[in-house]
Amino acid sequence: MIPTLKSLSASLRYTAQAIILFTLLSSGASAETTSHQVKPQTVYDLKSVFASVQSMDVTQGRARIGGTLVELLVDEGDIVEAGQKLALVRDAKQKLQIAALTSKLRSLNAQLQLDKTTLKRVSTLKKSGKASQSELDKALTKVDVVSADIAALKLDQAVVRESQSQGDVFAPARGRVLSVKVTRGVVVMPGEAIADIAADSYILRLLLPERHARFIKKSDTVLVAERGMLDINDETSQSTRREGIVSQVYPELDNGRVVADVKVEGLGDFFVGERVRVWVSTDKRQTYVIPESYIHRRYGLSFVYLSDGTEIVIQPGSKLDGGMEVLSGLHNGDTLVQRPTPGPAHANSAGQ
């Protein structure tokens, strides 16, 4: 049967549409195919160690006078502000001293009134010629002496009152109360510590083996695990770890260990002395790191595709920031693809 002109036109139209669709699909497939150039990278070997949360400064609220602790206003774990009253110390002798000085002051005031009356009488008699100048001078001197005694007594009274106010124990800085060393009713001495206060500034303290002393230095970056990740077998991803900066490396070894301080944000909610897992760099080396999406596994082995379509076996290592370490199987300059481009063999098999 000879095809008509109309049927040939429809056939050509369908063929053209199929060619366009194939071209679009082919271009989309090639666009989806990505590649990765294998190059050596410098990676740092991280060692998991434990650090403890410590306060940079521990201050003490101390009693300034000796006496009996009559009031205790804080307990362990309380947050206190600078200048906040922690306790109250009172010396029973001070109350008696103030009472004695007050009584003596009343006596001197009465003596002063009597001496002023005598001075006024002698002054009147002196004007009428019935008293001598020596008597007037004597009366005037007695008034001045008693006035000076009253002034001195008032100063003594102020000293005792000030000493009594020294019994208030204040927090020297803002922070958290670590321990209260006394109880209510005990007798304390001047300068005795009432409470230990961790200043509101916390760091992580590292204790590293001596062999790592040459690797750690100030301003190094370390990784800090989440709170509670103490099991050495627990694995946490890089995204869940926080970064910290080594702020100080102490020049003296402590029992064969290097002591270093690490600054990390958000340690205020931790307990002082709480342990945290930290990863520190102990050495650096060159290796190959590729994205994990280029690796596919089959029969317990790991494979990657090269750009020429070859499938090779690799030996993966540990997960690193940016991908998976490859221990063997790759060379510098290899180009990896996520899936091979169909070659002539694939085309022939597809055509058949």
Side-chain angles (χ1 to χ4, degrees):
M1 181 177 181
I2 300 175
T4 62
L5 182 61
K6 184 176 181 180
S7 62
L8 288 174
S9 176
S11 177
L12 290 174
R13 185 171 66 254
Y14 294 148
T15 303
Q17 292 177 354
I19 292 173
I20 294 173
L21 181 60
F22 178 78
T23 303
L24 291 176
L25 292 175
S26 300
S27 61
S30 61
E32 292 178 358
T33 303
T34 57
S35 61
H36 176 77
Q37 190 77 22
V38 177
K39 295 180 181 179
Q41 300 181 22
T42 300
V43 298
Y44 292 88
D45 290 327
L46 299 180
K47 178 180 178 61
S48 177
V49 296
F50 289 109
S52 60
V53 179
Q54 299 292 335
S55 174
M56 293 183 66
D57 298 301
V58 177
T59 61
Q60 291 181 324
R62 295 180 177 273
R64 293 175 289 179
I65 63 171
T68 304
L69 188 73
V70 297
E71 191 174 4
L72 188 61
L73 304 176
V74 293
D75 200 358
E76 285 85 354
D78 291 347
I79 302 297
V80 296
E81 300 292 335
Q84 179 177 334
K85 185 185 292 187
L86 305 178
L88 183 62
V89 178
R90 285 290 180 262
D91 187 354
K93 296 191 300 294
Q94 293 175 340
K95 187 175 181 180
L96 296 176
Q97 288 173 352
I98 293 176
L101 291 173
T102 302
S103 179
K104 191 174 182 179
L105 186 60
R106 287 198 297 266
S107 175
L108 288 177
N109 284 326
Q111 182 68 36
L112 180 62
Q113 293 298 326
L114 179 61
D115 290 339
K116 284 183 177 180
T117 302
T118 303
L119 176 61
K120 185 177 180 181
R121 185 183 304 113
V122 173
S123 178
T124 303
L125 294 174
K126 175 67 172 61
K127 289 179 181 179
S128 62
K130 295 179 179 180
S132 64
Q133 181 65 37
S134 61
E135 292 176 342
L136 178 63
D137 293 341
K138 184 179 179 181
L140 183 61
T141 302
K142 289 183 66 176
V143 170
D144 292 339
V145 170
V146 174
S147 297
D149 289 342
I150 291 176
L153 194 62
K154 287 182 178 179
L155 290 177
D156 291 340
Q157 193 177 44
V159 170
V160 176
R161 292 187 184 278
E162 177 62 26
S163 178
Q164 190 178 41
S165 68
Q166 295 282 318
D168 295 341
V169 181
F170 298 105
R174 185 185 187 279
R176 187 187 305 173
V177 178
L178 295 181
S179 64
V180 178
K181 299 182 175 298
V182 294
T183 58
R184 184 176 178 180
V186 301
V187 176
V188 297
M189 302 298 292
E192 185 173 344
I194 303 299
D196 290 337
I197 300 173
D200 197 14
S201 180
Y202 301 97
I203 49 91
L204 284 179
R205 180 146 298 165
L206 290 172
L207 295 174
L208 300 176
E210 185 178 350
R211 61 181 179 275
H212 299 310
R214 60 191 179 95
F215 296 112
I216 189 169
K217 60 183 182 300
K218 189 176 180 179
S219 302
D220 281 352
T221 301
V222 301
L223 299 177
V224 182
E226 295 178 349
R227 187 177 184 180
M229 301 295 294
L230 295 180
D231 189 352
I232 200 67
N233 296 319
D234 289 339
E235 291 295 336
T236 56
S237 62
Q238 296 275 357
S239 60
T240 62
R241 302 175 187 175
R242 292 181 293 173
E243 286 191 355
I245 303 297
V246 177
S247 60
Q248 186 173 3
V249 179
Y250 292 91
E252 183 179 5
L253 296 179
D254 181 10
N255 293 327
R257 295 175 297 179
V258 183
V259 183
D261 291 341
V262 178
K263 285 187 176 181
V264 185
E265 296 294 333
L267 292 179
D269 295 333
F270 285 68
F271 289 101
V272 175
E274 183 175 349
R275 294 195 306 162
V276 182
R277 282 184 67 189
V278 176
W279 287 267
V280 297
S281 175
T282 57
D283 201 358
K284 60 182 179 180
R285 54 189 171 81
Q286 294 287 322
T287 188
Y288 297 125
V289 180
I290 65 174
E292 198 170 357
S293 59
Y294 286 89
I295 303 175
H296 60 279
R297 293 174 175 81
R298 189 170 66 251
Y299 308 122
L301 299 176
S302 298
F303 298 86
V304 293
Y305 290 113
L306 299 181
S307 58
D308 59 359
T310 305
E311 185 181 32
I312 61 174
V313 181
I314 62 170
Q315 177 61 45
S318 59
K319 290 183 179 181
L320 300 175
D321 188 13
M324 179 74 72
E325 180 184 7
V326 177
L327 303 178
S328 64
L330 294 180
H331 300 86
N332 187 16
D334 287 346
T335 301
L336 306 181
V337 294
Q338 292 186 352
R339 61 171 180 267
T341 304
H346 294 82
N348 291 337
S349 61
Q352 294 174 358

